[in-house]
Amino acid sequence: MRRAVVTSAATAAGVVLLLSLKPHEAAGPAPVIGSGAGTGSGSDVSQPSEAPAPSSSASATGTTRKVSGDTVNTRYGPVQVQVTLAGSRITAVDVVKYPNSERRDREINSSALPVLNREAISAQSAAIDVVSGATYTSDGYVRSLQSALDRAKG
Protein backbone atom coordinates (compact mmCIF):
# COMPACT_ATOMS: atom_id res chain seq x y z
CA MET A 1 0.00 0.00 0.00
CA ARG A 2 2.82 2.40 0.88
CA ARG A 3 4.49 1.71 -2.48
CA ALA A 4 1.29 2.64 -4.32
CA VAL A 5 1.01 5.95 -2.46
CA VAL A 6 4.66 6.85 -3.15
CA THR A 7 4.31 5.90 -6.81
CA SER A 8 1.11 7.95 -7.18
CA ALA A 9 2.69 10.96 -5.48
CA ALA A 10 5.79 10.75 -7.68
CA THR A 11 3.65 10.46 -10.81
CA ALA A 12 1.52 13.44 -9.78
CA ALA A 13 4.63 15.52 -9.05
CA GLY A 14 6.09 14.59 -12.43
CA VAL A 15 2.91 15.57 -14.26
CA VAL A 16 2.77 18.92 -12.43
CA LEU A 17 6.41 19.63 -13.35
CA LEU A 18 5.83 18.76 -16.99
CA LEU A 19 2.74 20.93 -17.20
CA SER A 20 4.52 23.88 -15.58
CA LEU A 21 7.33 23.90 -18.15
CA LYS A 22 6.91 26.35 -21.00
CA PRO A 23 7.77 24.60 -24.25
CA HIS A 24 10.31 26.45 -26.40
CA GLU A 25 8.39 25.77 -29.58
CA ALA A 26 5.19 27.42 -28.35
CA ALA A 27 6.11 30.68 -30.07
CA GLY A 28 7.50 28.97 -33.17
CA PRO A 29 4.31 28.64 -35.24
CA ALA A 30 3.48 32.33 -34.82
CA PRO A 31 3.52 34.07 -38.18
CA VAL A 32 6.39 36.42 -38.90
CA ILE A 33 5.29 39.98 -39.54
CA GLY A 34 6.72 41.63 -42.63
CA SER A 35 6.99 41.00 -46.31
CA GLY A 36 7.87 37.52 -47.41
CA ALA A 37 8.88 38.79 -50.84
CA GLY A 38 12.57 38.04 -50.47
CA THR A 39 14.74 35.85 -48.35
CA GLY A 40 17.37 38.54 -48.06
CA SER A 41 20.26 36.47 -49.30
CA GLY A 42 23.46 38.42 -49.21
CA SER A 43 23.92 40.98 -46.49
CA ASP A 44 22.27 40.75 -43.11
CA VAL A 45 20.41 44.02 -43.66
CA SER A 46 18.26 43.40 -46.68
CA GLN A 47 16.25 46.62 -46.72
CA PRO A 48 18.40 49.62 -45.85
CA SER A 49 16.08 51.79 -47.93
CA GLU A 50 13.46 51.66 -45.14
CA ALA A 51 15.45 53.88 -42.81
CA PRO A 52 16.34 57.16 -44.61
CA ALA A 53 12.86 58.68 -44.98
CA PRO A 54 11.68 58.20 -41.37
CA SER A 55 15.05 59.09 -39.81
CA SER A 56 14.99 62.64 -41.18
CA SER A 57 11.84 63.41 -39.20
CA ALA A 58 12.82 61.35 -36.16
CA SER A 59 16.21 62.86 -35.44
CA ALA A 60 17.52 66.37 -35.78
CA THR A 61 21.02 65.47 -34.59
CA GLY A 62 22.01 63.47 -37.67
CA THR A 63 24.69 61.55 -35.77
CA THR A 64 25.16 57.91 -36.65
CA ARG A 65 26.56 55.49 -34.12
CA LYS A 66 26.94 51.76 -33.70
CA VAL A 67 26.14 49.98 -30.46
CA SER A 68 26.92 46.32 -29.80
CA GLY A 69 24.60 44.14 -27.78
CA ASP A 70 25.52 41.41 -25.33
CA THR A 71 26.64 38.05 -26.66
CA VAL A 72 23.78 35.70 -25.81
CA ASN A 73 24.56 32.00 -25.59
CA THR A 74 21.85 29.84 -27.11
CA ARG A 75 21.50 26.10 -27.41
CA TYR A 76 23.16 26.14 -30.83
CA GLY A 77 25.75 28.88 -30.29
CA PRO A 78 26.25 32.54 -29.43
CA VAL A 79 24.24 35.38 -30.96
CA GLN A 80 25.32 39.02 -30.94
CA VAL A 81 24.00 42.02 -32.86
CA GLN A 82 25.29 45.50 -33.55
CA VAL A 83 22.74 48.27 -34.06
CA THR A 84 23.36 51.34 -36.20
CA LEU A 85 21.40 54.33 -34.93
CA ALA A 86 20.75 57.73 -36.48
CA GLY A 87 19.81 59.71 -33.39
CA SER A 88 17.45 57.30 -31.65
CA ARG A 89 16.23 55.62 -34.86
CA ILE A 90 17.42 52.12 -35.84
CA THR A 91 18.79 52.30 -39.38
CA ALA A 92 20.56 48.93 -39.56
CA VAL A 93 21.16 45.79 -37.56
CA ASP A 94 24.25 43.67 -38.21
CA VAL A 95 24.52 40.18 -36.78
CA VAL A 96 28.09 39.87 -35.51
CA LYS A 97 27.83 36.33 -34.11
CA TYR A 98 25.35 33.61 -34.87
CA PRO A 99 25.27 29.79 -34.86
CA ASN A 100 27.03 28.62 -38.04
CA SER A 101 29.09 25.59 -37.10
CA GLU A 102 26.74 23.10 -38.75
CA ARG A 103 25.32 23.11 -42.28
CA ARG A 104 21.76 23.20 -40.93
CA ASP A 105 22.59 26.21 -38.73
CA ARG A 106 23.84 28.09 -41.78
CA GLU A 107 20.71 27.16 -43.76
CA ILE A 108 18.32 28.28 -41.04
CA ASN A 109 20.14 31.49 -40.22
CA SER A 110 20.67 32.54 -43.83
CA SER A 111 16.91 32.98 -44.11
CA ALA A 112 16.02 33.86 -40.50
CA LEU A 113 18.53 36.64 -39.81
CA PRO A 114 17.46 38.93 -42.68
CA VAL A 115 13.84 38.57 -41.52
CA LEU A 116 14.81 39.45 -37.95
CA ASN A 117 16.81 42.44 -39.21
CA ARG A 118 13.87 43.75 -41.26
CA GLU A 119 11.52 43.28 -38.33
CA ALA A 120 13.81 45.12 -35.91
CA ILE A 121 14.15 48.07 -38.28
CA SER A 122 10.43 48.10 -38.96
CA ALA A 123 9.44 47.85 -35.28
CA GLN A 124 12.19 50.22 -34.09
CA SER A 125 12.47 48.05 -31.00
CA ALA A 126 13.23 44.53 -29.83
CA ALA A 127 9.51 43.70 -29.69
CA ILE A 128 9.56 41.40 -32.71
CA ASP A 129 8.21 37.94 -33.46
CA VAL A 130 10.45 34.91 -33.54
CA VAL A 131 11.09 33.17 -36.83
CA SER A 132 9.57 29.71 -36.99
CA GLY A 133 12.34 27.11 -37.18
CA ALA A 134 14.89 29.51 -35.68
CA THR A 135 13.41 29.91 -32.23
CA TYR A 136 16.68 29.77 -30.28
CA THR A 137 18.48 32.14 -32.64
CA SER A 138 15.48 34.49 -32.58
CA ASP A 139 15.47 34.53 -28.79
CA GLY A 140 19.20 35.27 -28.65
CA TYR A 141 18.79 37.95 -31.32
CA VAL A 142 16.00 39.72 -29.41
CA ARG A 143 17.94 39.61 -26.12
CA SER A 144 21.12 40.95 -27.74
CA LEU A 145 19.15 43.63 -29.60
CA GLN A 146 17.46 44.74 -26.38
CA SER A 147 20.81 45.01 -24.60
CA ALA A 148 22.18 47.15 -27.44
CA LEU A 149 19.14 49.44 -27.31
CA ASP A 150 19.48 49.70 -23.53
CA ARG A 151 23.15 50.70 -23.93
CA ALA A 152 22.25 53.27 -26.56
CA LYS A 153 19.77 54.97 -24.22
CA GLY A 154 22.05 55.28 -21.26
Side-chain angles (χ1 to χ4, degrees), residues 11-81:
T11 302
V15 169
V16 169
L17 286 174
L18 287 175
L19 292 176
S20 68
L21 292 176
K22 179 180 174 188
H24 292 292
E25 298 301 319
V32 176
I33 300 172
S35 66
T39 59
S41 60
S43 70
D44 286 330
V45 180
S46 58
Q47 291 184 349
S49 61
E50 290 178 15
S55 68
S56 62
S57 63
S59 170
T61 62
T63 60
T64 300
R65 59 194 169 123
K66 292 187 176 192
V67 181
S68 294
D70 292 338
T71 300
V72 177
N73 290 317
T74 68
R75 179 177 177 179
Y76 296 103
V79 177
Q80 182 182 27
V81 301

Side-chain angles (χ1 to χ4, degrees), residues 1-13:
M1 179 69 176
R2 190 182 327 189
R3 195 178 300 176
V5 171
V6 171
T7 303
S8 297
T11 302

Side-chain angles (χ1 to χ4, degrees), residues 102-123:
E102 300 291 327
R103 181 187 62 81
R104 184 69 179 138
D105 294 337
R106 291 187 294 274
E107 284 177 9
I108 290 169
N109 291 321
S110 68
S111 60
L113 294 176
V115 171
L116 291 167
N117 289 339
R118 280 194 305 270
E119 291 304 310
I121 293 168
S122 176

